[in-house]
Amino acid sequence: MPAFGDPPNYSTPRTLGLALTSILGSLAHFTLGALDYEHVSRYLGLAVMLLAGLLLVYGVLTLIRYAEAITSMQDPHARTPMYNTPHETLTYRVGVGLNALAACSAVAWAVGGELPLWHLGAGVVNVWAAYLAWLTRPVGEG
């Protein structure tokens, strides 16, 4: 548990970076999936687009949590506790999992698609986001 007075986990610039890179990675997979859809398996394409949609939702929700944490730090009458929330552990695990899956799918698309460097670039964004998600894990995890 963080020391009293430390900023909450969601209010750090790392969380903002995680949200923005997850959104960027998801948009890259949507775009590349639409451009390179005919050259890879239809089912792989649909699965990756679904994964990109989940990653977009994750990024937007993380961005909302960041904004809520920033604004609640200035709230003199906070209504909810900012530490040891049950979704903190799940949030970082989902972030690592979704971004790692997206990075693996980017490698698969790079092998079978016509835009390998672009797919690998999107995979690098996902690897960075997975690393940021790993760094946002609560104290005492891992």
Side-chain angles (χ1 to χ4, degrees):
M1 182 168 158
F4 188 70
D6 287 347
N9 192 31
Y10 288 130
S11 67
T12 62
R14 184 178 298 138
T15 303
L16 177 62
L18 169 62
L20 295 178
T21 54
S22 293
I23 292 170
L24 179 67
S26 71
L27 294 177
H29 285 293
F30 274 131
T31 304
L32 291 170
L35 293 174
D36 212 5
Y37 184 78
E38 294 178 5
H39 301 86
V40 183
S41 165
R42 174 181 297 184
Y43 298 110
L44 178 62
L46 292 174
V48 169
M49 287 187 202
L50 175 65
L51 178 63
L54 292 173
L55 197 56
L56 180 66
V57 168
Y58 171 79
V60 169
L61 289 177
T62 305
L63 187 62
I64 290 169
R65 284 193 179 133
Y66 171 78
E68 286 177 342
I70 291 295
T71 58
S72 66
M73 286 175 61
Q74 286 97 24
D75 188 358
H77 305 290
R79 293 171 295 284
T80 59
M82 304 260 322
Y83 299 103
N84 285 340
T85 55
H87 54 75
E88 246 183 334
T89 300
L90 184 62
T91 298
Y92 101 85
R93 288 181 181 171
V94 168
V96 170
L98 285 176
N99 280 295
L101 278 172
C104 291
S105 72
V107 171
W109 278 70
V111 169
E114 288 198 347
L115 304 167
L117 293 178
W118 288 99
H119 288 292
L120 290 176
V124 167
V125 170
N126 290 123
V127 168
W128 180 250
Y131 175 70
L132 288 175
W134 177 255
L135 292 178
T136 62
R137 69 190 184 281
V139 176
E141 282 281 324

